[in-house]
Amino acid sequence: MASHPPDRFLRLNTVLDRTGLSRATLYRKNQAGTFPKQIKIAERSCGWRESALEEWLRNSMFYKVGD
């Protein structure tokens, strides 16, 4: 049985590199609910789940975060 690697948290610069989005566009999409939500990983740092980002990259046109 194949095991899946653990989900990683990606920091802002990595997310920007992978998506090609600007910082302003990323936060605008995040606020509109059309980009994966940030996860607080420490007192002063946030990140995005790599699996959520990969899902968004595969089908960003139809991505909508549930409430």
Side-chain angles (χ1 to χ4, degrees), residues 1-41:
M1 179 187 253
S3 64
H4 296 288
D7 206 3
R8 297 184 324 159
F9 288 102
L10 303 176
R11 302 299 299 270
L12 178 62
N13 287 334
T14 304
V15 173
L16 295 176
D17 287 344
R18 287 197 187 180
T19 62
L21 298 174
S22 71
R23 181 185 305 245
T25 300
L26 184 142
Y27 284 118
R28 192 169 36 250
K29 287 181 171 296
N30 200 348
Q31 188 155 15
T34 58
F35 196 79
K37 293 186 182 208
Q38 288 178 307
I39 306 294
K40 187 169 185 157
I41 55 178

Side-chain angles (χ1 to χ4, degrees), residues 7-10 15 18-19 34-39 47-60 63 65:
D7 206 3
R8 297 184 324 159
F9 288 102
L10 303 176
V15 173
R18 287 197 187 180
T19 62
T34 58
F35 196 79
K37 293 186 182 208
Q38 288 178 307
I39 306 294
W48 286 264
R49 290 189 187 276
E50 187 173 31
S51 60
L53 183 63
E54 292 298 324
E55 179 185 342
W56 183 86
L57 287 169
R58 282 192 300 273
N59 203 3
S60 63
Y63 189 89
V65 175

